[in-house]
């Protein structure tokens, strides 16, 4: 974009007939165009004794010679009487010394203020982003008629390279893309489609681009986070409002349509908008309309709240995953996200972005390459359109540089704990809980000893129980039954994610005490406690195996740092709904580590992240402390934790789930079984014994359980658990070993136990 300049000397001797429109149209109330330039008005214009806002009654030919600011400074509106207005335009050179031969040159036209020219309703009209920077060529304008039809005006955006008009219900919409910030908006009548006036837009001040930011993007199916490093300090990306609000439309109308069809003024919650819900809106678009993937036109980031959010609608896309076979909506989300980040970067005067990206430990090398190639393509397109230099991670780059800017999630989370919270990685386990998985990394003296990703996250530890029993959620949590009862499980979980994000902490602190002694709520709490305790027990098993393999030198349990969006489940087990180092559940979790490992219980305290959900994005932009991770090529097979058999091969509990030496790679898994869930039975006994020995008050034991570890006791329970284990393992049978994501048999048994107990709790 080239900043416009005035050239008054090249204006021909226009006549009033050339410039002025035949009629004066006006908006029937005052200050209706807060985002526009307004002319000098010697006396407020009125109609029926009320102040009005005139449209500029000129065609736009003068804007080929003048900037909007220069033109508006040359205009004057003067009320002649109650219903007559004179509009004057001064075309004289402003500096007579530069052109002594020029004479004063004024044109004017008198207009009647007529009732039939009154515009009684305003459309929503917005322009984004509201700045000017050298090289920036991505501007978007949005129009919505408010379902007012002929009572309002329609628009044409100057310089639009693409324009899309559509209707939804009774409303008419338009989205336009421009390469320059628009200088004016042409307004047309809804009836005759004739030009009725101009709205002049102020030219933004030029932003000089210099300096560089490192930007960390943690993209995940449920929540996406962005941190920046500027001046060696990590902080969340500030989501400033970059909209130019041209028309004064009621907040309820404007905010609703901006959330669903364009770019919101603010993200929810305003006090902590990050991480963003990974939700896309395609409202007003159809996938088959174009082969392109265009941000804003075809899909936009959606910010859900508890009132408007309807995840069951087909234009709402949730649970976005980066998979080669189905990445259209994920690509749309990331394209809009990256464009939005670039706009915020430019607004802050930054000329270069160094991108740093995370990936899950479940990514294969092929997945990683696919993700990086698409990101590289996306950012190169942005560099051409924004003028901001984009540097993305590249497999061909220096190995250290590459590893610093393309990190496995567990490594980035550990970097956060080390550099941001100043914690040690001397003998430490980091547990990062997402929605459907938990990443575990074990560290000794800043070196990664073991990492694994378990297919058990906050959904399996917590929210699944609520979706299984929606009446419990409605009754105990006080939500509106009408909004929740008819949702399918996918939509229920998506809406629940938002409710927990916006209302969960407040409910815990103000309402939990009212229901925590109710039998059904105690059963709900017990399920979550068993799941979390099982994770810790498995970490104990990991420590024992790693010690036996001489990869972990200490025969003692580790400190535990826990983070991720799902780490808030600990608050549901704590007194007053707020987990801290004094919460009694610490004693239980330390005991589980001890029992799983066989090491002494040193009563370690679990340290909950100071910024749950921010760890990975923040860790991506930090590297003050060199910590040694594993490359994407290195294998670190799962530790089994429970005896199993695969295609007749016996794999013992202290072994690794490594198929290569068993000659199973690329072969069908015809048999996968766990004959006797001995270790999970021992865990369940140790869990109940710990509740008794430690006198844990807030977590009640399972009433029907006899506290005996042998499988021949509690026969009904273990019979159902074994059946559920077999059911879960059926999903693996008949598939090739290199196409499935194997999980630890111990975790499979834990999930089976939780499934059985949750069904009993529902009743």
């Amino acid at each position: 974009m080239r900043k416009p300049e005035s050239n008054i000397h090249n204006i021909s001797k226009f006549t009033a007939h050339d410039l002025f429109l035949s009629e004066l149209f006006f908006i029937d109330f005052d200050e209706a165009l807060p985002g526009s330039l307004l002319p000098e008005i010697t006396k407020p214009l009125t109609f029926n004794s009320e102040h009005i806002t005139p449209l500029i009654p000129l065609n736009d030919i003068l804007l080929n010679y003048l900037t909007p600011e220069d033109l508006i400074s040359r205009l004057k509106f003067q009320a002649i009487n109650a219903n007559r207005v004179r509009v004057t335009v001064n075309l004289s050179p402003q500096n007579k010394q530069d052109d002594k031969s020029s004479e004063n040159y004024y044109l004017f036209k008198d207009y009647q203020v007529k009732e039939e020219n009154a515009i009684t309703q305003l459309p929503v009209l917005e322009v984004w982003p509201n700045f000017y920077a050298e090289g920036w060529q991505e501007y978007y304008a949005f129009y919505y008629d408010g379902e007012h039809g002929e009572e309002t005006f329609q628009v044409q955006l100057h310089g639009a390279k693409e324009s899309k008009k559509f209707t939804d219900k009774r409303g008419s919409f338009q989205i336009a893309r421009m390469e320059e910030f628009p200088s004016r908006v042409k307004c047309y009548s809804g009836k005759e489609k004739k030009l009725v006036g101009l709205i002049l837009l102020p030219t933004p001040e030029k932003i000089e681009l210099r300096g560089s930011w490192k930007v960390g993007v943690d993209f995940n199916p449920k929540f996406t986070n962005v941190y920046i490093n500027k001046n060696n300090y990590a902080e969340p990306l500030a989501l400033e409002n970059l909209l130019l609000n041209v028309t004064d439309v009621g907040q309820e109308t404007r905010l609703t349509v901006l959330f669903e069809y364009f770019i919101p003024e603010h993200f929810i919650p305003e006090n902590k908008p990050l991480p963003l819900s990974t939700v896309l809106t395609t409202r007003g678009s159809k996938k088959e309309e174009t082969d392109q993937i265009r941000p804003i036109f075809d899909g936009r980031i959606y910010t859900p709240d508890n009132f408007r959010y309807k995840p069951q609608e087909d234009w709402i896309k949730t649970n976005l995953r980066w998979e080669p076979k189905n990445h259209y909506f994920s690509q749309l989300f990331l394209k809009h996200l990256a464009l939005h980040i670039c706009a915020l970067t430019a607004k802050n005067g930054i000329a270069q972005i160094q991108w740093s990206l995370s990936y899950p430990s479940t990514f294969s090398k092929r997945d990683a390459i696919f993700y990086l190639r698409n990101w590289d393509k996306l950012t190169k397109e942005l560099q051409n359109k924004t003028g901001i230099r984009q540097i993305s991670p590249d497999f061909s780059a220096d190995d250290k540089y590459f590893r610093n800017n393309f990190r496995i999630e567990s490594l980035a989370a550990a970097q956060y704990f080390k550099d941001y919270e100043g914690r040690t990685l001397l003998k430490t386990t980091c547990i990062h809980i997402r929605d459907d998985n938990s990443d575990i990394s074990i560290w000794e003296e800043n070196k990664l000893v073991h990492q694994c990703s378990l297919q058990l996250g906050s959904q399996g530890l917590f929210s699944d129980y609520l979706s299984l029993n929606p009446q419990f959620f409605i009754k105990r949590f006080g939500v509106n039954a009408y909004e929740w009862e008819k949702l399918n499980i996918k939509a229920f979980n998506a809406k629940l994610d938002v409710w927990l994000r916006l209302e969960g902490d407040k409910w815990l602190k103000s309402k939990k005490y009212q229901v925590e002694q109710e039998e059904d709520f105690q059963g709900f709490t017990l399920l979550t406690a068993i799941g979390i305790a099982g994770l810790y027990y498995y970490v104990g098993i990991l420590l024992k195996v790693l010690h036996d393999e001489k990869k972990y030198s200490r025969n003692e349990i580790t400190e535990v740092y826990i983070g991720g969006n799902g780490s808030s489940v600990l608050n549901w087990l704590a007194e007053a709904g707020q987990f801290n180092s004094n919460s009694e559940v610490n004693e239980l979790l330390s005991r589980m580590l001890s029992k799983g490992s066989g090491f002494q219980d040193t009563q370690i305290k679990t340290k909950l992240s100071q910024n749950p959900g921010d760890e990975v994005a923040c860790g991506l932009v930090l590297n003050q402390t060199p910590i040694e991770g594993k490359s994407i090529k290195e294998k670190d097979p799962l530790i089994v934790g429970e005896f199993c058999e695969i295609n007749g091969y016996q794999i013992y509990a202290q072994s690794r789930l490594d198929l290569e030496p068993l000659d199973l790679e690329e072969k069908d898994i015809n048999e996968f079984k766990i004959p006797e869930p001995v270790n999970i039975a021992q865990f369940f006994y140790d869990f109940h014994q710990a509740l008794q020995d430690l006198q844990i008050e807030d977590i009640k034991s399972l009433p029907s359980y006899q506290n005996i570890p042998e499988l021949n006791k509690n026969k009904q329970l273990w019979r159902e658990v074994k059946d559920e284990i077999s059911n879960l393992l059926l999903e693996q049978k008949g598939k090739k070993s290199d196409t499935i994501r194997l999980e630890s048999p111990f975790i499979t048994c834990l999930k089976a136990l939780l499934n059985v107990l949750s069904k009993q709790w529902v009743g």
Side-chain angles (χ1 to χ4, degrees):
M1 173 181 173
R2 180 181 59 84
K3 191 170 184 178
E5 297 178 355
S6 295
N7 193 348
I8 190 71
H9 302 291
N10 291 332
I11 295 182
S12 303
K13 296 296 184 178
F14 292 114
T15 67
H17 178 76
D18 297 324
L19 300 183
F20 290 104
L21 301 181
S22 59
E23 301 282 341
L24 175 68
F25 283 75
F26 59 93
I27 301 162
D28 199 12
F29 51 92
D30 197 18
E31 299 180 352
L33 302 171
S36 72
L37 294 171
L38 297 177
E40 178 187 350
I41 299 177
T42 56
K43 181 181 178 182
L45 304 184
T46 62
F47 178 71
N48 291 337
S49 301
E50 298 291 335
H51 291 182
I52 61 174
T53 304
L55 296 178
I56 307 299
L58 299 174
N59 66 47
D60 63 345
I61 191 170
L62 287 177
L63 289 167
N64 295 329
Y65 306 92
L66 303 173
T67 66
E69 287 77 12
D70 196 1
L71 177 56
I72 208 71
S73 71
R74 295 168 178 273
L75 277 175
K76 183 167 68 172
F77 281 63
Q78 184 177 10
I80 298 174
N81 54 42
N83 61 356
R84 193 169 183 82
V85 175
R86 173 167 292 182
V87 180
T88 303
V89 59
N90 177 6
L91 298 183
S92 308
Q94 290 184 332
N95 189 341
K96 294 295 294 267
Q97 293 179 347
D98 293 342
D99 192 353
K100 296 180 180 179
S101 64
S102 298
E103 298 178 358
N104 289 333
Y105 185 31
Y106 293 89
L107 296 175
F108 70 89
K109 183 177 177 64
D110 292 345
Y111 291 98
Q112 290 290 117
V113 181
K114 302 176 182 178
E115 184 172 4
E116 59 263 33
N117 292 341
I119 298 169
T120 58
Q121 301 291 341
L122 276 177
V124 176
L125 184 58
E126 307 276 338
V127 180
W128 181 94
N130 184 21
F131 64 73
Y132 160 54
E134 197 69 43
W136 188 274
Q137 300 176 41
E138 284 286 290
Y139 294 95
Y140 293 84
F142 174 78
Y143 167 91
Y144 166 59
D145 72 353
E147 301 186 4
H148 297 305
E150 295 182 354
E151 294 178 348
T152 190
F153 58 85
Q154 298 176 352
V155 301
Q156 180 183 20
L157 279 306
H158 176 70
K161 298 298 181 182
E162 288 182 278
S163 184
K164 172 181 177 179
K165 295 181 180 180
F166 59 94
T167 58
D168 194 349
K169 297 181 180 179
R170 294 185 301 159
S172 295
F173 297 81
Q174 183 179 348
I175 298 176
R177 182 184 67 82
M178 298 143 290
E179 292 182 353
E180 297 184 355
F181 191 90
S183 59
R184 68 271 205 185
V185 178
K186 291 183 178 181
C187 302
Y188 292 84
S189 67
K191 297 178 182 179
E192 298 87 3
K193 305 296 188 292
K194 72 173 183 178
L195 182 66
V196 296
L198 299 178
I199 297 174
L200 301 182
L201 302 181
T203 305
E205 288 298 314
K206 182 178 180 179
I207 298 172
E208 298 292 339
L209 301 183
R210 57 174 64 90
S212 175
W213 276 358
K214 186 171 186 178
V215 179
V217 177
D218 174 30
F219 170 68
N220 256 265
K222 291 297 181 72
F223 293 99
T224 294
N225 213 338
V226 184
Y227 260 68
I228 60 172
N229 185 321
K230 57 180 182 179
N231 302 320
N232 295 318
Y233 181 77
E235 62 183 54
L237 178 69
L239 301 180
E240 303 173 56
N241 177 14
L242 300 183
L243 286 165
L244 175 64
N245 175 209
V246 180
T247 53
D248 182 23
V249 178
Q251 187 174 20
E252 183 176 350
T253 298
R254 190 176 75 254
L255 293 186
T256 298
V257 294
L258 292 179
F259 271 113
E260 295 184 358
Y261 297 92
F262 196 53
I263 299 165
E265 284 187 358
H266 61 267
F267 295 86
I268 298 172
E270 289 188 66
N271 63 329
K272 191 184 184 303
L274 291 171
L276 293 170
S277 294
T278 308
V279 180
L280 186 79
T281 169
T282 60
R283 195 161 192 184
S285 303
K286 294 180 180 179
K287 185 177 178 181
E288 60 268 19
E289 286 179 344
T290 176
D291 293 331
Q292 303 178 62
I293 303 178
R294 303 172 299 177
I296 300 179
F297 269 83
D298 301 322
R300 303 154 296 282
I301 295 169
Y302 182 77
T303 304
D305 65 9
N306 284 322
F307 306 103
R308 287 186 293 263
Y309 187 36
K310 296 180 180 179
Q312 68 272 25
E313 298 286 355
D314 60 2
W315 45 269
I316 291 288
K317 309 299 178 184
T318 62
N319 203 27
L320 303 180
R321 297 177 182 275
W322 192 260
E323 298 172 351
K325 62 182 180 182
N326 183 29
H327 76 288
Y328 178 83
F329 296 119
S330 299
Q331 182 88 317
L332 262 177
F333 180 90
L334 287 176
K335 279 197 168 189
H336 186 196
L337 177 69
L339 174 62
H340 203 88
I341 292 170
C342 286
L344 294 167
T345 304
K347 182 66 167 59
N348 283 273
I350 299 301
Q352 175 177 289
I353 295 176
Q354 166 65 68
W355 297 98
S356 187
L357 310 174
S358 65
Y359 65 94
S361 59
T362 55
F363 259 24
S364 65
K365 183 179 178 182
R366 183 182 301 171
D367 293 332
I369 292 173
F370 180 77
Y371 184 36
L372 285 181
R373 282 178 177 170
N374 276 275
W375 191 269
D376 185 59
K377 179 182 177 182
L378 181 160
T379 52
K380 281 180 179 175
E381 290 175 358
L382 281 174
Q383 180 166 299
N384 294 332
K385 294 178 179 179
T386 66
I388 298 173
R389 189 181 179 214
Q390 317 269 329
I391 306 173
S392 295
D394 184 352
F395 267 121
S396 64
D398 171 74
D399 187 53
K400 181 179 179 182
Y401 165 85
F402 174 72
R403 284 187 286 111
N404 281 339
N405 293 291
F406 190 55
R407 297 193 188 186
I408 195 166
E409 291 169 357
S410 56
L411 180 63
Q415 191 85 57
Y416 161 85
F417 284 115
K418 186 71 177 71
D419 285 348
Y420 194 87
E421 294 197 8
R423 303 193 181 280
T424 68
L425 297 177
L426 185 66
K427 48 170 185 175
T428 306
T429 296
C430 296
I431 303 176
H432 190 257
I433 302 178
R434 295 282 198 185
D435 178 71
D436 56 1
N437 68 283
S438 296
D439 284 338
I440 295 173
S441 59
I442 298 174
W443 300 82
E444 188 171 21
E445 297 179 359
N446 287 353
K447 294 182 180 180
L448 182 62
V449 175
H450 178 69
Q451 66 183 20
C452 60
S453 184
L454 309 179
Q455 297 175 62
L456 180 62
S458 61
Q459 189 166 312
L461 295 168
F462 181 84
S463 56
D464 273 352
Y465 312 138
L466 299 177
S467 60
L468 278 172
N469 196 354
Q471 292 305 317
F472 165 78
F473 179 65
I474 291 167
K475 177 182 177 182
R476 295 302 182 198
F477 290 73
V479 297
N480 188 322
Y482 176 78
E483 296 179 5
W484 294 84
E485 282 182 325
K486 296 182 180 180
L487 296 177
N488 61 34
I489 290 179
K490 181 181 177 182
F492 185 96
N493 283 330
K495 193 170 178 68
L496 181 62
D497 288 337
V498 174
W499 189 91
L500 290 170
R501 167 94 185 278
L502 301 180
E503 303 293 335
D505 286 345
K506 183 167 62 176
W507 189 93
L508 278 169
K509 293 171 184 176
S510 62
K511 300 291 181 62
K512 178 175 179 278
Y513 75 94
Q514 298 176 4
V515 299
E516 61 187 357
Q517 296 306 314
E518 299 292 341
E519 183 178 349
D520 57 355
F521 197 87
Q522 289 179 5
F524 169 68
T525 302
L526 176 61
L527 289 168
T528 295
I530 293 168
I532 292 290
L535 281 183
Y536 273 67
Y537 200 88
Y538 180 66
V539 171
I541 293 173
L542 299 183
L543 294 175
K544 176 66 167 63
V545 172
L546 293 168
H547 181 69
D548 291 344
E549 293 178 344
K550 302 189 183 311
K551 294 180 178 177
Y552 175 64
S553 66
R554 293 168 167 82
N555 60 345
E556 55 185 309
I557 59 178
T558 62
E559 291 184 299
V560 176
Y561 307 150
I562 190 165
N565 293 314
S567 63
S568 60
V569 297
L570 284 180
N571 292 326
W572 296 82
L573 305 179
E575 309 92 308
Q578 189 66 49
F579 179 86
N580 56 51
S581 59
N582 296 318
S583 300
E584 67 172 2
V585 71
N586 271 294
E587 300 176 67
L588 173 64
L589 299 179
S590 180
R591 182 62 56 87
M592 292 298 96
L593 275 181
S594 172
K595 289 296 183 180
S597 64
F599 301 150
Q600 180 183 353
D601 184 2
T602 51
Q603 300 181 358
I604 61 99
K605 302 286 188 183
T606 290
K607 296 178 176 63
L608 183 61
S609 170
Q610 297 171 7
N611 300 283
D614 288 6
E615 301 85 5
V616 172
C618 183
L620 284 171
V621 299
L622 295 171
N623 57 8
Q624 288 96 317
T625 305
I627 59 177
E628 296 185 21
K630 297 179 183 293
S631 76
I632 197 169
K633 300 178 182 179
E634 291 183 75
K635 289 189 174 182
D636 196 4
L638 284 166
I639 291 170
V640 175
E642 188 79 77
F643 177 81
C644 67
E645 295 180 9
I646 302 180
N647 286 10
Y649 288 95
Q650 295 184 340
I651 305 175
Y652 293 92
Q654 306 300 314
S655 303
R656 301 274 189 156
L657 196 58
D658 190 357
L659 302 183
E660 185 174 356
L662 301 180
D663 193 31
L664 286 173
E665 288 193 310
E666 300 183 6
K667 292 186 177 181
D668 290 348
I669 293 181
N670 299 317
E671 182 183 54
F672 193 163
K673 63 182 180 180
I674 300 171
E676 298 290 335
V678 176
N679 281 356
I680 204 70
Q682 182 65 47
F683 152 71
F684 208 43
Y685 165 78
D686 289 335
F687 172 80
H688 280 87
Q689 194 62 43
L691 293 181
Q692 179 180 320
D693 294 346
L694 299 172
Q695 299 180 354
I696 303 293
E697 294 181 358
D698 288 336
I699 302 169
K700 310 299 182 185
S701 60
L702 186 67
S704 60
Y705 178 72
Q706 297 181 55
N707 200 19
I708 302 171
E710 287 76 22
L711 287 170
N712 59 0
K713 305 297 182 183
N714 303 290
K715 289 183 180 180
Q716 181 64 27
L717 171 65
W718 297 119
R719 185 182 300 114
E720 292 180 22
V721 169
K722 289 168 73 172
D723 287 345
E724 183 64 18
I725 291 170
S726 298
N727 183 51
L728 293 175
L729 293 178
L730 277 175
E731 298 178 9
Q732 315 287 353
K733 292 183 180 180
K735 297 182 179 179
K736 291 190 179 299
S737 59
D738 63 342
T739 64
I740 63 174
R741 180 185 170 189
L742 293 171
E743 74 173 352
S744 159
F746 180 87
I747 297 300
T748 299
C749 293
L750 177 61
K751 288 163 70 173
L753 174 62
L754 291 170
N755 288 349
V756 169
L757 295 177
S758 62
K759 290 173 186 175
Q760 292 178 358
W761 171 68
V762 173

